[in-house]
Amino acid sequence: MSTIRDLISESIEINLAEFLKNVHSADLAEIASELSKNELLLIVKNLSFPKASRFISELEKEDRRDILEHIMLDHLANILEEMETDDAADIL
């Protein structure tokens, strides 16, 4: 988690996006409760749409709600498009 926080605090989104490619979405979801809403939003912004959909699906309900309330609608639409039907229905 310290690597993710370091990349976020240094505002190095290119490195963050590259780092996140190698982290499983379930591992990201495990540390989500330790991150701020802004950190979570930055992570979602830097994930591919398929990986963002898996990450959001694995989050606790409260963390998921916090993120979804602040994602741009076009970005959210792309993420929902990648989700399993039942996960997307839960969000909607």
Side-chain angles (χ1 to χ4, degrees):
M1 184 176 86
S2 64
T3 302
I4 291 174
R5 273 232 165 91
D6 292 342
L7 292 170
I8 290 171
S9 69
E10 295 172 15
S11 298
I12 307 175
E13 288 190 44
I14 294 170
N15 292 343
L16 178 61
E18 196 60 37
F19 176 79
L20 291 172
K21 286 181 184 178
N22 299 312
V23 180
H24 194 276
S25 55
D27 294 331
L28 288 173
E30 277 186 35
I31 64 165
S33 63
E34 300 174 33
L35 299 172
S36 72
K37 180 174 46 180
N38 288 336
E39 289 171 327
L40 288 172
L41 288 168
L42 192 57
I43 287 173
V44 170
K45 178 181 172 189
N46 283 281
L47 292 173
S48 66
F49 293 128
K51 193 165 190 172
S53 71
R54 290 189 302 274
F55 170 62
I56 290 171
S57 295
E58 295 182 35
L59 289 174
E60 295 293 326
K61 215 174 214 178
E62 186 175 309
D63 291 329
R64 185 183 313 157
R65 186 189 60 224
D66 286 345
I67 288 175
L68 295 174
E69 288 177 353
H70 295 91
I71 292 179
M72 299 287 289
L73 288 179
D74 59 334
H75 196 83
L76 178 58
N78 288 319
I79 291 170
L80 288 173
E81 194 172 290
E82 295 292 334
M83 279 188 174
E84 297 289 326
T85 308
D86 56 333
D87 289 334
D90 287 345
I91 288 171
L92 296 174

